[in-house]
Amino acid sequence: TEPAPVHTADASDPFSTDPPRHPALIVNNPKPFNAETPPSLMMDNFRTPNDLFFVRNHLPVPKTDVEKHRLRVEGLGVGEGKEVDLSVAELKKKYKEHYVTSVVQCGGNRRADMQKFKKVAGLMWEGYAISNAKWTGVRLRDILIDLGVDPADERIKHVHLEGADVDPTGKPYGASIPFEKAMSPEVIIAYQMNDEDIPADHGYPLRCIVPGVVGARQVKWLTLVRLSDVESPSHFQQKDYRAFSPSVQHGEELDWNSVPSIQDYPIQSAFCLPASGTTVDRDSATSLPFGPVVLAEYSFPKDGTVDVAGYAWSGGGRGIIRVEVSPDGGETWYSAEMEQDPDQNQDKMWAWTLFRASIPIPEGAQTMDLVVKATDRSYNTQPETAAGIWNIRGLLHNAWHHVEVKIRG
Amino acid sequence: TEPAPVHTADASDPFSTDPPRHPALIVNNPKPFNAETPPSLMMDNFRTPNDLFFVRNHLPVPKTDVEKHRLRVEGLGVGEGKEVDLSVAELKKKYKEHYVTSVVQCGGNRRADMQKFKKVAGLMWEGYAISNAKWTGVRLRDILIDLGVDPADERIKHVHLEGADVDPTGKPYGASIPFEKAMSPEVIIAYQMNDEDIPADHGYPLRCIVPGVVGARQVKWLTLVRLSDVESPSHFQQKDYRAFSPSVQHGEELDWNSVPSIQDYPIQSAFCLPASGTTVDRDSATSLPFGPVVLAEYSFPKDGTVDVAGYAWSGGGRGIIRVEVSPDGGETWYSAEMEQDPDQNQDKMWAWTLFRASIPIPEGAQTMDLVVKATDRSYNTQPETAAGIWNIRGLLHNAWHHVEVKIRG
Ligand SMILES: [Mo]
Ligand SMILES: [Mo]
């Protein structure tokens, strides 16, 4: 039989109604759809365009109808009979609109790089399962306070989030975030992404945006907010997205309760350009444009330097205070130029930092081991290698990122 | 002339009225007095006894009188004419008492270890310029709110703190913390340390305790709290306690504004026992007691393992989620047992974590390169070496801590 065209419903294929995607996305897995932003395009925009934003789906994209979609809010502190089922129109009408420019990064970003150190299990993301967008919506805290929830209610410890995407048994995707985080002003129920309706792949019509936190908690196609004394019982909260110790080996029985669920992301950075294996001419090139500018004509400068560019970001709102790049595997360092969101400060930096540097090509060098690593507002830095962070699921890989270039001439 | 006895005032020596100290403290500098807790005693108590708490003085210990001492509170949001000069008795009477068990760690802790990588400038702290105590006092936020300060006042960005200790020109020690931090419930104006009056060396009669933040901001002998739109102009805020990039070399002109003042500490851990260079008998030893127990009789177990113990801590309230130790320089890891404050949770962990592990002695090994590193609630980890964090002032050294032991038998 012929494969069904992707946009025709097929009862035997729950993915057959998935939306069309930009052909430039680098597909890691077609069903469920998982794809990275092409690194060569990442530096073109401070806010990643919607159709180039990386996609991480755990399940088929649900068919949602903005008229019929409801967000149920219930649980501890809301009180029985006080639960609400908000339509998107009600949400927009009842609460003040806010926006935040914020990163979503997959917990498995750079897993392929960790795999080079030692075998790990999961989707082999290179380093581009991360994007940055402007999200517009209403504050979760405004909804909860409107429903009578007391921010000081000590019974409430966690807020469960569920999506309209379901597994073959009908169980929805679920996750939870700490109550204190849920009450923070940066957490919003978004209906727009970069000033457009959120696309189907990114949570249409509602997504919970939890700045500073791993992507897996930023639930798409949001249908439910539940206040609770415990974490979400969802598989994705309990049996996934927890990074074990490097002492835990493949084949061992896993004690999931021995490690906390990932929430805030650690410090991260990686090169987008040049690609590993690139050959650089010592003296026939032009400069690399920086930041939200077209890098399609990326090439190298005439004066014996290599231009490099990429991203850095840290969780918990910890701003990037510097990005350093090395031409020689980490022996010597140069501070990179940084582009940051002018509306955010170092203590509440939810957006990423783009960086750029021109690194002198060492005399006589035939190859260069380029390295990047960043430092955040708490002076946390990235480990040199995976030696201390390797974990069987390959989560949260944030070791120094290396790119090798060859020098010609 | 004979040296003056240390407790007799001597007009020519501003340090002559410094208090007596415990003889076990390891003195780095006598005037101003700077001394570490002996590592062999650190594991005896979860809360470091006052007389063994490390001492970091920048200036002579001021002579303070609890009856005459005043805490002035002034600045933006307080309003002219509304400033107050609170006595210690008024402070205790007017505001509710709170306590927090919290670490103080010097920004230069482990500088001697960073120096092994490359020369740095400063007091050569080994790894024990860190201690943990119970601090009792009143919340800074309660005082400020009582004076009419609006927590949402966007003009107020920083809170200056000054001590009664002065330099030869009469200028007091000063620092500042972000306003948002100052308004957090964990920040207290303490008058007790481990249920006793704060000793002279640690700030008698008042010290500002800023949990999760570097020691230099936790101002002792506190006399002034000033709300401001800018950071403290103090030397210690502006020209010290900022960790430069490893690209900045000795002798360069320093652009202090290019790096933010240190506030939250990054993730840290170190062994207290065994000491580097210790010889371990393969088969004539007993087990290491763990935690707040006497370790004076520290020795090794019979069954071919080495017992190790130490501390781990991270800034910003980020709890330690695990401590891992390695017998072979980081090739293999074992998870350590941890002791934590049962009253604190992983998102508000101001106290340290003590750890202990029994590491098998590898067959045929004649030496062991023991390593420890920790992971915090944001999954931040320590860098392997100083390669990416080295800075000319040797601040915030938090690379993996190594201890070498020799195996006999
Ligand atoms: Mo993810
Ligand atoms: Mo310090």
Side-chain angles (χ1 to χ4, degrees):
Chain A
T1 60
E2 278 196 316
V6 284
H7 308 305
T8 305
D10 173 352
S12 70
D13 178 6
F15 299 97
S16 63
T17 53
D18 268 20
R21 278 101 183 194
H22 195 292
L25 288 172
I26 300 170
V27 178
N28 266 340
N29 194 58
K31 297 175 182 184
F33 190 76
N34 286 282
E36 305 190 52
T37 306
S40 60
L41 302 180
M42 275 185 94
M43 303 295 292
D44 291 9
N45 302 277
F46 188 74
R47 290 171 176 166
T48 316
N50 291 357
D51 57 357
L52 290 173
F53 203 96
F54 89 97
V55 180
R56 202 290 177 244
N57 291 341
H58 294 84
L59 299 163
V61 174
K63 291 174 72 121
T64 54
D65 177 335
V66 69
E67 300 298 329
K68 292 184 190 146
H69 194 85
R70 294 292 179 274
L71 176 63
R72 181 165 186 82
V73 186
E74 63 177 38
L76 271 180
V78 173
E80 234 174 302
K82 298 253 179 106
E83 304 90 351
V84 288
D85 293 278
L86 291 160
S87 71
V88 176
E90 284 169 323
L91 201 90
K92 290 182 179 180
K93 199 179 153 196
K94 287 190 80 165
Y95 303 103
K96 195 179 164 204
E97 186 170 279
H98 292 274
Y99 75 85
V100 61
T101 300
S102 183
V103 157
V104 180
Q105 181 175 196
C106 179
N109 192 30
R110 299 188 60 208
R111 180 179 283 129
D113 203 12
M114 184 175 271
Q115 165 102 324
K116 289 179 202 157
F117 180 81
K118 198 162 100 183
K119 183 172 173 283
V120 291
L123 283 173
M124 284 299 150
W125 299 108
E126 293 290 339
Y128 312 100
I130 179 172
S131 300
N132 185 53
K134 175 186 174 187
W135 305 93
T136 305
V138 300
R139 287 181 175 154
L140 178 52
R141 72 173 275 122
D142 289 351
I143 302 174
L144 296 180
I145 288 171
D146 184 46
L147 292 177
V149 173
D150 174 4
D153 189 333
E154 293 195 349
R155 298 171 305 162
I156 316 171
K157 302 285 189 207
H158 302 276
V159 175
H160 302 189
L161 305 166
E162 282 182 13
D165 48 334
V166 296
D167 71 14
T169 73
K171 203 176 280 183
Y173 183 87
S176 63
I177 58 175
F179 178 54
E180 184 169 339
K181 180 68 181 181
M183 294 303 278
S184 298
E186 68 272 12
V187 175
I188 63 174
I189 309 297
Y191 38 77
Q192 284 194 330
M193 178 179 181
N194 292 323
D195 300 316
E196 292 169 15
D197 285 349
I198 298 177
D201 261 332
H202 298 289
Y204 182 78
L206 296 177
R207 180 173 195 172
C208 189
I209 294 299
V210 191
V213 160
V214 69
R217 313 301 172 207
Q218 308 198 45
V219 175
K220 303 194 273 193
W221 313 292
L222 189 73
T223 59
L224 181 78
V225 169
R226 183 190 299 115
L227 303 168
S228 176
D229 57 340
V230 295
E231 277 194 298
S232 165
S234 164
H235 167 84
F236 302 98
Q237 190 76 18
Q238 299 295 333
K239 303 279 172 84
D240 198 354
Y241 295 110
R242 294 175 184 231
F244 283 97
S245 159
S247 67
V248 176
Q249 301 299 324
H250 292 289
E252 280 182 33
E253 203 181 327
L254 299 177
D255 177 7
W256 289 95
N257 290 326
S258 68
V259 273
S261 62
I262 297 167
Q263 296 287 346
D264 282 354
Y265 220 97
I267 173 95
Q268 177 71 288
S269 73
F271 291 115
C272 295
L273 293 166
S276 226
T278 300
T279 296
V280 176
D281 276 329
R282 215 177 247 282
D283 47 29
S284 62
T286 58
S287 203
L288 169 74
F290 176 54
V293 286
V294 178
L295 292 183
E297 299 176 65
Y298 174 69
S299 55
F300 298 97
K302 273 211 158 75
D303 60 351
T305 70
V306 176
D307 271 18
V308 299
Y311 66 83
W313 184 71
S314 189
R318 294 181 284 277
I320 298 298
I321 67 166
R322 60 175 169 254
V323 176
E324 284 137 343
V325 292
S326 170
D328 53 10
E331 285 286 310
T332 51
W333 296 100
Y334 298 89
S335 286
E337 289 171 70
M338 301 194 294
E339 182 183 1
Q340 301 186 318
D341 188 323
D343 296 335
Q344 298 185 354
N345 68 45
Q346 292 283 10
D347 293 314
K348 307 263 175 185
M349 193 168 289
W350 316 112
W352 64 11
T353 293
L354 297 181
F355 71 84
R356 186 243 200 208
S358 280
I359 308 182
I361 300 173
E363 198 71 40
Q366 295 191 308
T367 63
M368 285 171 75
D369 176 10
L370 301 172
V371 185
V372 62
K373 54 103 189 163
T375 303
D376 76 16
R377 184 64 189 93
S378 295
Y379 281 93
N380 275 303
T381 57
Q382 302 172 238
E384 284 99 308
T385 74
I389 56 170
W390 178 89
N391 61 91
I392 52 168
R393 286 300 315 284
L395 289 162
L396 301 180
H397 184 53
N398 72 334
W400 293 1
H401 188 221
H402 290 255
V403 157
E404 187 162 286
V405 296
K406 302 184 184 91
I407 311 298
R408 182 165 51 202
Chain B
T1 61
E2 277 194 316
V6 285
H7 309 305
T8 305
D10 173 351
S12 70
D13 179 6
F15 298 98
S16 61
T17 52
D18 267 20
R21 277 102 183 193
H22 196 293
L25 288 172
I26 300 169
V27 179
N28 266 340
N29 194 58
K31 298 177 182 184
F33 190 76
N34 286 282
E36 305 190 51
T37 306
S40 60
L41 302 181
M42 276 184 93
M43 303 297 292
D44 291 8
N45 301 278
F46 188 74
R47 290 171 175 167
T48 316
N50 291 356
D51 57 356
L52 289 173
F53 203 96
F54 89 98
V55 181
R56 201 288 177 247
N57 290 341
H58 294 84
L59 299 163
V61 174
K63 292 174 71 119
T64 52
D65 176 335
V66 69
E67 300 297 330
K68 291 184 191 147
H69 193 84
R70 294 292 178 275
L71 176 64
R72 183 167 184 78
V73 186
E74 62 177 38
L76 271 180
V78 174
E80 236 176 300
K82 299 253 180 106
E83 304 90 350
V84 287
D85 293 278
L86 291 161
S87 71
V88 177
E90 283 169 323
L91 200 90
K92 290 182 178 179
K93 198 179 153 195
K94 287 190 79 165
Y95 303 104
K96 193 178 166 203
E97 186 170 277
H98 292 275
Y99 75 85
V100 61
T101 300
S102 182
V103 156
V104 181
Q105 181 175 196
C106 179
N109 192 31
R110 300 189 59 208
R111 181 179 282 128
D113 202 14
M114 185 175 270
Q115 165 101 325
K116 289 180 203 156
F117 180 82
K118 198 162 99 184
K119 184 173 172 284
V120 291
L123 284 172
M124 284 300 149
W125 300 107
E126 292 290 341
Y128 313 100
I130 178 171
S131 301
N132 185 53
K134 175 186 175 186
W135 304 93
T136 304
V138 300
R139 286 183 175 152
L140 178 52
R141 72 172 277 124
D142 288 351
I143 302 175
L144 297 179
I145 288 171
D146 183 48
L147 292 176
V149 173
D150 174 5
D153 188 333
E154 293 196 349
R155 298 170 306 162
I156 315 170
K157 303 283 190 208
H158 302 277
V159 175
H160 302 190
L161 305 165
E162 281 182 15
D165 48 336
V166 295
D167 71 14
T169 72
K171 203 176 281 182
Y173 183 86
S176 62
I177 58 174
F179 177 55
E180 186 170 338
K181 180 69 182 180
M183 294 301 279
S184 298
E186 68 272 13
V187 175
I188 64 173
I189 310 297
Y191 38 77
Q192 283 194 332
M193 179 178 179
N194 292 324
D195 300 316
E196 293 170 12
D197 285 349
I198 298 177
D201 260 333
H202 298 289
Y204 182 79
L206 296 177
R207 179 174 195 172
C208 189
I209 294 298
V210 191
V213 159
V214 69
R217 314 300 173 210
Q218 308 199 45
V219 175
K220 303 195 274 193
W221 313 293
L222 190 73
T223 59
L224 181 79
V225 169
R226 185 192 297 115
L227 303 168
S228 176
D229 56 341
V230 295
E231 277 194 297
S232 165
S234 164
H235 167 84
F236 302 98
Q237 189 76 16
Q238 298 295 333
K239 304 280 172 84
D240 198 354
Y241 294 110
R242 292 173 186 236
F244 283 97
S245 161
S247 67
V248 176
Q249 301 298 323
H250 291 289
E252 280 182 36
E253 202 181 327
L254 299 177
D255 177 6
W256 290 96
N257 290 325
S258 68
V259 273
S261 63
I262 297 167
Q263 297 286 347
D264 282 354
Y265 220 97
I267 173 97
Q268 178 71 288
S269 72
F271 290 115
C272 295
L273 292 167
S276 226
T278 301
T279 296
V280 177
D281 278 329
R282 215 180 249 280
D283 46 30
S284 63
T286 58
S287 204
L288 169 72
F290 175 53
V293 286
V294 178
L295 293 183
E297 298 176 65
Y298 175 69
S299 55
F300 299 96
K302 273 211 157 74
D303 60 351
T305 70
V306 175
D307 271 17
V308 300
Y311 66 84
W313 184 71
S314 188
R318 293 181 284 278
I320 298 298
I321 65 166
R322 60 174 168 253
V323 176
E324 283 137 343
V325 293
S326 170
D328 52 11
E331 284 286 309
T332 51
W333 297 100
Y334 297 89
S335 286
E337 287 172 72
M338 302 194 292
E339 182 183 0
Q340 302 187 316
D341 188 322
D343 296 335
Q344 299 185 353
N345 68 45
Q346 292 283 9
D347 293 314
K348 306 263 175 184
M349 194 169 288
W350 315 112
W352 64 11
T353 294
L354 297 181
F355 69 85
R356 184 243 201 208
S358 280
I359 308 182
I361 300 173
E363 198 70 40
Q366 295 191 308
T367 62
M368 284 170 76
D369 176 10
L370 301 172
V371 185
V372 62
K373 53 104 189 163
T375 303
D376 75 16
R377 185 63 189 95
S378 295
Y379 282 92
N380 275 304
T381 58
Q382 301 172 239
E384 284 99 307
T385 74
I389 56 169
W390 178 89
N391 61 92
I392 53 170
R393 286 299 316 283
L395 289 162
L396 300 180
H397 184 54
N398 70 333
W400 293 1
H401 187 221
H402 291 254
V403 157
E404 187 163 286
V405 296
K406 302 183 185 92
I407 311 298
R408 184 166 47 203

